[in-house]
PDB file of all heavy atoms in Angstrom:
ATOM      1  N   THR A 270       0.875 -18.694   0.127  1.00  0.00           N
ATOM      2  CA  THR A 270       0.911 -17.240  -0.040  1.00  0.00           C
ATOM      3  C   THR A 270       0.927 -16.943  -1.532  1.00  0.00           C
ATOM      4  O   THR A 270       1.419 -17.739  -2.320  1.00  0.00           O
ATOM      5  CB  THR A 270       2.188 -16.620   0.561  1.00  0.00           C
ATOM      6  OG1 THR A 270       3.322 -17.273  -0.024  1.00  0.00           O
ATOM      7  CG2 THR A 270       2.234 -16.795   2.050  1.00  0.00           C
ATOM      8  N   TRP A 315      -5.654 -17.435   7.769  1.00  0.00           N
ATOM      9  CA  TRP A 315      -4.386 -16.742   7.530  1.00  0.00           C
ATOM     10  C   TRP A 315      -3.390 -17.161   8.592  1.00  0.00           C
ATOM     11  O   TRP A 315      -3.767 -17.698   9.637  1.00  0.00           O
ATOM     12  CB  TRP A 315      -4.592 -15.229   7.564  1.00  0.00           C
ATOM     13  CG  TRP A 315      -5.704 -14.792   6.675  1.00  0.00           C
ATOM     14  CD1 TRP A 315      -6.974 -14.477   7.059  1.00  0.00           C
ATOM     15  CD2 TRP A 315      -5.685 -14.679   5.251  1.00  0.00           C
ATOM     16  NE1 TRP A 315      -7.726 -14.147   5.962  1.00  0.00           N
ATOM     17  CE2 TRP A 315      -6.962 -14.262   4.839  1.00  0.00           C
ATOM     18  CE3 TRP A 315      -4.690 -14.875   4.279  1.00  0.00           C
ATOM     19  CZ2 TRP A 315      -7.288 -14.042   3.502  1.00  0.00           C
ATOM     20  CZ3 TRP A 315      -5.025 -14.645   2.948  1.00  0.00           C
ATOM     21  CH2 TRP A 315      -6.300 -14.238   2.575  1.00  0.00           C
ATOM     22  N   VAL A 316      -2.131 -16.818   8.359  1.00  0.00           N
ATOM     23  CA  VAL A 316      -1.103 -17.308   9.283  1.00  0.00           C
ATOM     24  C   VAL A 316      -1.292 -16.762  10.700  1.00  0.00           C
ATOM     25  O   VAL A 316      -0.994 -17.445  11.685  1.00  0.00           O
ATOM     26  CB  VAL A 316       0.324 -17.016   8.759  1.00  0.00           C
ATOM     27  CG1 VAL A 316       0.693 -15.545   8.908  1.00  0.00           C
ATOM     28  CG2 VAL A 316       1.339 -17.918   9.435  1.00  0.00           C
ATOM     29  N   THR A 317      -1.802 -15.553  10.819  1.00  0.00           N
ATOM     30  CA  THR A 317      -1.983 -14.991  12.159  1.00  0.00           C
ATOM     31  C   THR A 317      -2.880 -15.904  13.000  1.00  0.00           C
ATOM     32  O   THR A 317      -2.606 -16.155  14.175  1.00  0.00           O
ATOM     33  CB  THR A 317      -2.600 -13.580  12.085  1.00  0.00           C
ATOM     34  OG1 THR A 317      -1.810 -12.796  11.201  1.00  0.00           O
ATOM     35  CG2 THR A 317      -2.655 -12.924  13.452  1.00  0.00           C
ATOM     36  N   SER A 391      -1.214  -4.775  16.596  1.00  0.00           N
ATOM     37  CA  SER A 391      -1.859  -4.907  15.295  1.00  0.00           C
ATOM     38  C   SER A 391      -0.893  -5.596  14.344  1.00  0.00           C
ATOM     39  O   SER A 391       0.303  -5.686  14.613  1.00  0.00           O
ATOM     40  CB  SER A 391      -2.326  -3.541  14.798  1.00  0.00           C
ATOM     41  OG  SER A 391      -1.538  -3.081  13.742  1.00  0.00           O
ATOM     42  N   VAL A 392      -1.413  -6.112  13.248  1.00  0.00           N
ATOM     43  CA  VAL A 392      -0.578  -6.850  12.288  1.00  0.00           C
ATOM     44  C   VAL A 392      -1.217  -6.875  10.911  1.00  0.00           C
ATOM     45  O   VAL A 392      -2.441  -6.768  10.796  1.00  0.00           O
ATOM     46  CB  VAL A 392      -0.365  -8.307  12.745  1.00  0.00           C
ATOM     47  CG1 VAL A 392      -1.661  -9.097  12.801  1.00  0.00           C
ATOM     48  CG2 VAL A 392       0.613  -9.044  11.827  1.00  0.00           C
ATOM     49  N   GLY A 393      -0.407  -7.032   9.897  1.00  0.00           N
ATOM     50  CA  GLY A 393      -0.927  -7.271   8.550  1.00  0.00           C
ATOM     51  C   GLY A 393      -0.496  -6.256   7.520  1.00  0.00           C
ATOM     52  O   GLY A 393      -0.314  -6.571   6.360  1.00  0.00           O
ATOM     53  N   GLU A 394      -0.348  -5.036   7.952  1.00  0.00           N
ATOM     54  CA  GLU A 394       0.058  -3.962   7.044  1.00  0.00           C
ATOM     55  C   GLU A 394       0.479  -2.778   7.912  1.00  0.00           C
ATOM     56  O   GLU A 394       0.245  -2.776   9.123  1.00  0.00           O
ATOM     57  CB  GLU A 394      -1.103  -3.580   6.133  1.00  0.00           C
ATOM     58  CG  GLU A 394      -2.342  -3.301   6.934  1.00  0.00           C
ATOM     59  CD  GLU A 394      -3.532  -2.851   6.107  1.00  0.00           C
ATOM     60  OE1 GLU A 394      -3.323  -2.036   5.199  1.00  0.00           O
ATOM     61  OE2 GLU A 394      -4.638  -3.288   6.414  1.00  0.00           O
ATOM     62  N   PRO A 395       1.064  -1.762   7.282  1.00  0.00           N
ATOM     63  CA  PRO A 395       1.480  -0.612   8.089  1.00  0.00           C
ATOM     64  C   PRO A 395       0.257   0.041   8.740  1.00  0.00           C
ATOM     65  O   PRO A 395      -0.807   0.112   8.126  1.00  0.00           O
ATOM     66  CB  PRO A 395       2.095   0.334   7.054  1.00  0.00           C
ATOM     67  CG  PRO A 395       2.455  -0.515   5.890  1.00  0.00           C
ATOM     68  CD  PRO A 395       1.441  -1.619   5.868  1.00  0.00           C
ATOM     69  N   ILE A 396       0.428   0.509   9.969  1.00  0.00           N
ATOM     70  CA  ILE A 396      -0.683   1.219  10.612  1.00  0.00           C
ATOM     71  C   ILE A 396      -0.394   2.715  10.534  1.00  0.00           C
ATOM     72  O   ILE A 396       0.664   3.174  10.956  1.00  0.00           O
ATOM     73  CB  ILE A 396      -0.923   0.744  12.065  1.00  0.00           C
ATOM     74  CG1 ILE A 396      -2.120   1.496  12.658  1.00  0.00           C
ATOM     75  CG2 ILE A 396       0.310   0.896  12.963  1.00  0.00           C
ATOM     76  CD1 ILE A 396      -2.767   0.788  13.823  1.00  0.00           C
ATOM     77  N   SER A 417       2.767  -2.509  16.585  1.00  0.00           N
ATOM     78  CA  SER A 417       2.456  -3.037  15.262  1.00  0.00           C
ATOM     79  C   SER A 417       3.503  -4.099  14.944  1.00  0.00           C
ATOM     80  O   SER A 417       4.644  -3.788  14.619  1.00  0.00           O
ATOM     81  CB  SER A 417       2.490  -1.908  14.238  1.00  0.00           C
ATOM     82  OG  SER A 417       2.407  -2.419  12.931  1.00  0.00           O
ATOM     83  N   THR A 418       3.108  -5.353  15.083  1.00  0.00           N
ATOM     84  CA  THR A 418       4.055  -6.457  14.959  1.00  0.00           C
ATOM     85  C   THR A 418       4.281  -6.793  13.491  1.00  0.00           C
ATOM     86  O   THR A 418       3.344  -7.057  12.765  1.00  0.00           O
ATOM     87  CB  THR A 418       3.494  -7.718  15.642  1.00  0.00           C
ATOM     88  OG1 THR A 418       2.297  -8.121  14.961  1.00  0.00           O
ATOM     89  CG2 THR A 418       3.159  -7.455  17.098  1.00  0.00           C
ATOM     90  N   TRP A 419       5.525  -6.771  13.071  1.00  0.00           N
ATOM     91  CA  TRP A 419       5.811  -7.149  11.673  1.00  0.00           C
ATOM     92  C   TRP A 419       6.246  -8.613  11.584  1.00  0.00           C
ATOM     93  O   TRP A 419       7.105  -9.063  12.336  1.00  0.00           O
ATOM     94  CB  TRP A 419       6.916  -6.287  11.045  1.00  0.00           C
ATOM     95  CG  TRP A 419       7.210  -6.787   9.650  1.00  0.00           C
ATOM     96  CD1 TRP A 419       6.564  -6.413   8.512  1.00  0.00           C
ATOM     97  CD2 TRP A 419       8.152  -7.795   9.253  1.00  0.00           C
ATOM     98  NE1 TRP A 419       7.047  -7.127   7.432  1.00  0.00           N
ATOM     99  CE2 TRP A 419       8.015  -7.983   7.858  1.00  0.00           C
ATOM    100  CE3 TRP A 419       9.098  -8.570   9.937  1.00  0.00           C
ATOM    101  CZ2 TRP A 419       8.790  -8.901   7.125  1.00  0.00           C
ATOM    102  CZ3 TRP A 419       9.855  -9.492   9.222  1.00  0.00           C
ATOM    103  CH2 TRP A 419       9.703  -9.641   7.828  1.00  0.00           C
ATOM    104  N   TRP A 420       5.623  -9.322  10.675  1.00  0.00           N
ATOM    105  CA  TRP A 420       6.079 -10.663  10.309  1.00  0.00           C
ATOM    106  C   TRP A 420       5.339 -11.078   9.051  1.00  0.00           C
ATOM    107  O   TRP A 420       4.613 -10.273   8.471  1.00  0.00           O
ATOM    108  CB  TRP A 420       5.864 -11.670  11.452  1.00  0.00           C
ATOM    109  CG  TRP A 420       4.457 -11.833  11.964  1.00  0.00           C
ATOM    110  CD1 TRP A 420       3.674 -10.899  12.567  1.00  0.00           C
ATOM    111  CD2 TRP A 420       3.678 -13.034  11.949  1.00  0.00           C
ATOM    112  NE1 TRP A 420       2.466 -11.444  12.931  1.00  0.00           N
ATOM    113  CE2 TRP A 420       2.442 -12.746  12.560  1.00  0.00           C
ATOM    114  CE3 TRP A 420       3.910 -14.334  11.501  1.00  0.00           C
ATOM    115  CZ2 TRP A 420       1.438 -13.714  12.716  1.00  0.00           C
ATOM    116  CZ3 TRP A 420       2.922 -15.292  11.661  1.00  0.00           C
ATOM    117  CH2 TRP A 420       1.698 -14.972  12.256  1.00  0.00           C
ATOM    118  N   MET A 421       5.518 -12.281   8.593  1.00  0.00           N
ATOM    119  CA  MET A 421       4.859 -12.757   7.378  1.00  0.00           C
ATOM    120  C   MET A 421       4.550 -14.238   7.516  1.00  0.00           C
ATOM    121  O   MET A 421       5.089 -14.909   8.392  1.00  0.00           O
ATOM    122  CB  MET A 421       5.708 -12.592   6.104  1.00  0.00           C
ATOM    123  CG  MET A 421       6.875 -11.715   6.208  1.00  0.00           C
ATOM    124  SD  MET A 421       8.038 -11.695   4.821  1.00  0.00           S
ATOM    125  CE  MET A 421       7.069 -11.810   3.363  1.00  0.00           C
ATOM    126  N   THR A 422       3.721 -14.735   6.597  1.00  0.00           N
ATOM    127  CA  THR A 422       3.425 -16.169   6.584  1.00  0.00           C
ATOM    128  C   THR A 422       4.739 -16.958   6.638  1.00  0.00           C
ATOM    129  O   THR A 422       4.865 -17.942   7.363  1.00  0.00           O
ATOM    130  CB  THR A 422       2.658 -16.538   5.296  1.00  0.00           C
ATOM    131  OG1 THR A 422       1.524 -15.679   5.188  1.00  0.00           O
ATOM    132  CG2 THR A 422       2.209 -17.985   5.325  1.00  0.00           C
ATOM    133  N   GLU A 423       5.706 -16.484   5.876  1.00  0.00           N
ATOM    134  CA  GLU A 423       6.993 -17.171   5.784  1.00  0.00           C
ATOM    135  C   GLU A 423       7.717 -17.231   7.126  1.00  0.00           C
ATOM    136  O   GLU A 423       8.378 -18.233   7.431  1.00  0.00           O
ATOM    137  CB  GLU A 423       7.900 -16.433   4.787  1.00  0.00           C
ATOM    138  CG  GLU A 423       7.504 -16.566   3.333  1.00  0.00           C
ATOM    139  CD  GLU A 423       6.406 -15.581   2.896  1.00  0.00           C
ATOM    140  OE1 GLU A 423       5.678 -15.064   3.775  1.00  0.00           O
ATOM    141  OE2 GLU A 423       6.280 -15.357   1.688  1.00  0.00           O
ATOM    142  N   ASN A 445       7.073  -0.120  13.812  1.00  0.00           N
ATOM    143  CA  ASN A 445       7.008  -1.522  14.209  1.00  0.00           C
ATOM    144  C   ASN A 445       7.893  -1.793  15.418  1.00  0.00           C
ATOM    145  O   ASN A 445       7.812  -2.850  16.015  1.00  0.00           O
ATOM    146  CB  ASN A 445       7.450  -2.428  13.061  1.00  0.00           C
ATOM    147  CG  ASN A 445       6.559  -2.257  11.856  1.00  0.00           C
ATOM    148  OD1 ASN A 445       6.873  -1.496  10.950  1.00  0.00           O
ATOM    149  ND2 ASN A 445       5.418  -2.906  11.865  1.00  0.00           N
ATOM    150  N   ALA A 506      12.681 -10.103   2.435  1.00  0.00           N
ATOM    151  CA  ALA A 506      11.273 -10.158   2.844  1.00  0.00           C
ATOM    152  C   ALA A 506      10.326  -9.626   1.780  1.00  0.00           C
ATOM    153  O   ALA A 506       9.134  -9.925   1.809  1.00  0.00           O
ATOM    154  CB  ALA A 506      11.095  -9.358   4.143  1.00  0.00           C
ATOM    155  N   ASP A 508       9.672  -6.420   1.458  1.00  0.00           N
ATOM    156  CA  ASP A 508       9.060  -5.204   1.997  1.00  0.00           C
ATOM    157  C   ASP A 508      10.039  -4.035   1.931  1.00  0.00           C
ATOM    158  O   ASP A 508      11.241  -4.211   2.111  1.00  0.00           O
ATOM    159  CB  ASP A 508       8.690  -5.395   3.479  1.00  0.00           C
ATOM    160  CG  ASP A 508       7.360  -6.103   3.656  1.00  0.00           C
ATOM    161  OD1 ASP A 508       6.480  -5.937   2.809  1.00  0.00           O
ATOM    162  OD2 ASP A 508       7.213  -6.823   4.663  1.00  0.00           O
ATOM    163  N   ILE A 520       8.064  -0.393   8.595  1.00  0.00           N
ATOM    164  CA  ILE A 520       7.827  -1.163   7.379  1.00  0.00           C
ATOM    165  C   ILE A 520       6.821  -0.387   6.543  1.00  0.00           C
ATOM    166  O   ILE A 520       5.744  -0.029   7.032  1.00  0.00           O
ATOM    167  CB  ILE A 520       7.272  -2.570   7.683  1.00  0.00           C
ATOM    168  CG1 ILE A 520       8.086  -3.263   8.776  1.00  0.00           C
ATOM    169  CG2 ILE A 520       7.210  -3.412   6.397  1.00  0.00           C
ATOM    170  CD1 ILE A 520       9.537  -3.460   8.519  1.00  0.00           C
ATOM    171  N   LEU A 521       7.170  -0.138   5.285  1.00  0.00           N
ATOM    172  CA  LEU A 521       6.370   0.782   4.474  1.00  0.00           C
ATOM    173  C   LEU A 521       5.425   0.088   3.506  1.00  0.00           C
ATOM    174  O   LEU A 521       4.652   0.748   2.826  1.00  0.00           O
ATOM    175  CB  LEU A 521       7.301   1.705   3.689  1.00  0.00           C
ATOM    176  CG  LEU A 521       8.303   2.490   4.541  1.00  0.00           C
ATOM    177  CD1 LEU A 521       9.231   3.304   3.656  1.00  0.00           C
ATOM    178  CD2 LEU A 521       7.576   3.405   5.519  1.00  0.00           C
ATOM    179  N   GLY A 522       5.504  -1.221   3.382  1.00  0.00           N
ATOM    180  CA  GLY A 522       4.631  -1.918   2.424  1.00  0.00           C
ATOM    181  C   GLY A 522       5.452  -2.768   1.474  1.00  0.00           C
ATOM    182  O   GLY A 522       6.678  -2.757   1.510  1.00  0.00           O
ATOM    183  N   ARG A 523       4.766  -3.486   0.610  1.00  0.00           N
ATOM    184  CA  ARG A 523       5.424  -4.448  -0.270  1.00  0.00           C
ATOM    185  C   ARG A 523       6.259  -3.762  -1.354  1.00  0.00           C
ATOM    186  O   ARG A 523       5.828  -2.797  -1.962  1.00  0.00           O
ATOM    187  CB  ARG A 523       4.377  -5.342  -0.950  1.00  0.00           C
ATOM    188  CG  ARG A 523       3.516  -6.161   0.005  1.00  0.00           C
ATOM    189  CD  ARG A 523       4.279  -7.220   0.731  1.00  0.00           C
ATOM    190  NE  ARG A 523       4.996  -8.101  -0.167  1.00  0.00           N
ATOM    191  CZ  ARG A 523       5.922  -8.973   0.246  1.00  0.00           C
ATOM    192  NH1 ARG A 523       6.213  -9.074   1.529  1.00  0.00           N
ATOM    193  NH2 ARG A 523       6.540  -9.733  -0.614  1.00  0.00           N
ATOM    194  N   LYS A 529      -2.333  -5.890  -0.801  1.00  0.00           N
ATOM    195  CA  LYS A 529      -2.809  -6.238   0.534  1.00  0.00           C
ATOM    196  C   LYS A 529      -4.197  -5.671   0.745  1.00  0.00           C
ATOM    197  O   LYS A 529      -4.374  -4.480   0.985  1.00  0.00           O
ATOM    198  CB  LYS A 529      -1.853  -5.703   1.573  1.00  0.00           C
ATOM    199  CG  LYS A 529      -0.558  -6.485   1.595  1.00  0.00           C
ATOM    200  CD  LYS A 529      -0.219  -6.950   2.969  1.00  0.00           C
ATOM    201  CE  LYS A 529      -0.292  -8.418   3.136  1.00  0.00           C
ATOM    202  NZ  LYS A 529      -0.123  -8.844   4.515  1.00  0.00           N
ATOM    203  N   GLY A 532      -5.313  -6.283   4.738  1.00  0.00           N
ATOM    204  CA  GLY A 532      -4.219  -7.005   5.387  1.00  0.00           C
ATOM    205  C   GLY A 532      -3.936  -8.377   4.814  1.00  0.00           C
ATOM    206  O   GLY A 532      -3.030  -9.062   5.247  1.00  0.00           O
ATOM    207  N   HIS A 533      -4.700  -8.795   3.820  1.00  0.00           N
ATOM    208  CA  HIS A 533      -4.507 -10.132   3.267  1.00  0.00           C
ATOM    209  C   HIS A 533      -3.862 -10.052   1.899  1.00  0.00           C
ATOM    210  O   HIS A 533      -4.337  -9.329   1.028  1.00  0.00           O
ATOM    211  CB  HIS A 533      -5.833 -10.874   3.170  1.00  0.00           C
ATOM    212  CG  HIS A 533      -6.508 -11.009   4.492  1.00  0.00           C
ATOM    213  ND1 HIS A 533      -7.843 -10.793   4.680  1.00  0.00           N
ATOM    214  CD2 HIS A 533      -6.005 -11.305   5.702  1.00  0.00           C
ATOM    215  CE1 HIS A 533      -8.140 -10.954   5.956  1.00  0.00           C
ATOM    216  NE2 HIS A 533      -7.040 -11.265   6.601  1.00  0.00           N
ATOM    217  N   GLY A 534      -2.793 -10.792   1.705  1.00  0.00           N
ATOM    218  CA  GLY A 534      -2.048 -10.709   0.457  1.00  0.00           C
ATOM    219  C   GLY A 534      -2.742 -11.422  -0.691  1.00  0.00           C
ATOM    220  O   GLY A 534      -3.079 -12.593  -0.596  1.00  0.00           O
TER     221      GLY A 534
HETATM  222  C1  LIG B   1       3.222  -8.949   4.704  1.00  0.00           C
HETATM  223  C2  LIG B   1       3.065 -10.409   5.030  1.00  0.00           C
HETATM  224  C3  LIG B   1       1.948 -12.070   9.307  1.00  0.00           C
HETATM  225  C4  LIG B   1       0.659 -11.652   9.555  1.00  0.00           C
HETATM  226  C5  LIG B   1      -0.296 -11.389   8.477  1.00  0.00           C
HETATM  227  C6  LIG B   1       0.227 -11.084   7.128  1.00  0.00           C
HETATM  228  C7  LIG B   1       2.846  -6.890   5.731  1.00  0.00           C
HETATM  229  C8  LIG B   1       2.543  -7.574   8.119  1.00  0.00           C
HETATM  230  C9  LIG B   1       2.917  -5.689   9.150  1.00  0.00           C
HETATM  231  C10 LIG B   1       3.093  -4.604  10.027  1.00  0.00           C
HETATM  232  C11 LIG B   1       3.657  -3.284   8.179  1.00  0.00           C
HETATM  233  C12 LIG B   1       3.099  -5.475   7.775  1.00  0.00           C
HETATM  234  C13 LIG B   1       4.214  -6.893   5.122  1.00  0.00           C
HETATM  235  C14 LIG B   1       4.550  -8.370   5.058  1.00  0.00           C
HETATM  236  N1  LIG B   1       2.846  -6.664   7.158  1.00  0.00           N
HETATM  237  N2  LIG B   1       2.564  -6.996   9.326  1.00  0.00           N
HETATM  238  N3  LIG B   1       2.908  -4.706  11.348  1.00  0.00           N
HETATM  239  N4  LIG B   1       3.468  -3.410   9.495  1.00  0.00           N
HETATM  240  N5  LIG B   1       3.466  -4.291   7.300  1.00  0.00           N
HETATM  241  O1  LIG B   1       0.914 -12.175   6.576  1.00  0.00           O
HETATM  242  O2  LIG B   1      -0.128 -12.296   4.321  1.00  0.00           O
HETATM  243  O3  LIG B   1       2.156 -13.278   4.756  1.00  0.00           O
HETATM  244  O4  LIG B   1       1.787 -10.809   4.655  1.00  0.00           O
HETATM  245  O5  LIG B   1       2.300  -8.175   5.458  1.00  0.00           O
HETATM  246  O6  LIG B   1       4.146  -6.336   3.845  1.00  0.00           O
HETATM  247  O7  LIG B   1       5.524  -8.685   4.096  1.00  0.00           O
HETATM  248  P1  LIG B   1       1.169 -12.228   5.038  1.00  0.00           P
END
Side-chain angles (χ1 to χ4, degrees):
T270 55
W315 309 100
V316 75
T317 307
S391 108
V392 63
E394 51 177 318
I396 182 158
S417 171
T418 63
W419 177 87
W420 57 297
M421 346 171 38
T422 307
E423 289 83 339
N445 299 96
D508 277 329
I520 312 301
L521 304 176
R523 300 292 306 168
K529 288 232 112 187
H533 301 136

